[in-house]
Amino acid sequence: MAHPIEGIMGVSMEKIREMVDVNTIIGEPITAEGTTIIPVSKVSFGFASGGSDLPTAVSEKFAGGSGAGVTVKPVAFIIIKEDGDVELKELGGKTSPVEGVMDALPGLIDKLKGMKKPDKTEE
């Protein structure tokens, strides 16, 4: 005979599976005026379960419980244009200041090169 905690865990995991499927992460495509937009989300979930056998004078009893939480956060959109051009538009800021600096560095170098004074020997 299966332990009662197995039933509690099984039901909880099945409910999580019902809530979170592939359509939660990669959403249904939306098409308008020849452009298709596909939402992309980050899904996080937590699960806890526990229980104990309680000895009593009458018989052995079991007490237990479980819980779960799910978070769905939109992170990007895949945009497919009518001409076949595909773009990924991310939502939100950079994850760290260093990442922002690294992304801006090539543009900054180009600007510095453009500001360089002409060498008088070249004239």
Side-chain angles (χ1 to χ4, degrees):
M1 181 173 175
H3 198 275
I5 194 72
E6 292 176 19
I8 291 171
M9 290 176 62
V11 169
S12 296
M13 292 303 289
E14 186 59 38
K15 294 298 180 186
I16 291 172
R17 193 174 298 119
E18 287 174 14
M19 288 188 297
V20 181
D21 65 0
V22 71
N23 291 326
T24 305
I25 298 166
I26 304 294
E28 291 291 324
I30 302 162
T31 303
E33 299 179 18
T35 300
T36 302
I37 300 172
I38 304 170
V40 180
S41 298
K42 175 182 176 182
V43 178
S44 304
F45 69 93
F47 173 77
S49 180
S52 177
D53 291 319
L54 304 171
T56 62
V58 179
S59 66
E60 297 292 320
K61 299 211 184 250
F62 174 78
S66 67
V70 177
T71 302
V72 179
K73 178 183 175 186
V75 293
F77 291 96
I78 300 170
I79 301 169
I80 306 168
K81 296 183 181 171
E82 195 170 26
D83 63 1
D85 186 34
V86 178
E87 287 182 70
L88 177 68
K89 294 286 187 179
E90 294 183 63
L91 300 176
K94 302 294 179 194
T95 56
S96 73
V98 173
E99 187 177 338
V101 170
M102 294 303 287
D103 286 347
L105 197 55
L108 181 61
I109 291 171
D110 288 341
K111 285 181 183 180
L112 291 173
K113 284 180 182 177
M115 293 171 57
K116 181 182 171 188
K117 293 181 180 178
D119 191 3
K120 291 186 179 189
T121 59
E122 293 177 7
E123 293 177 355

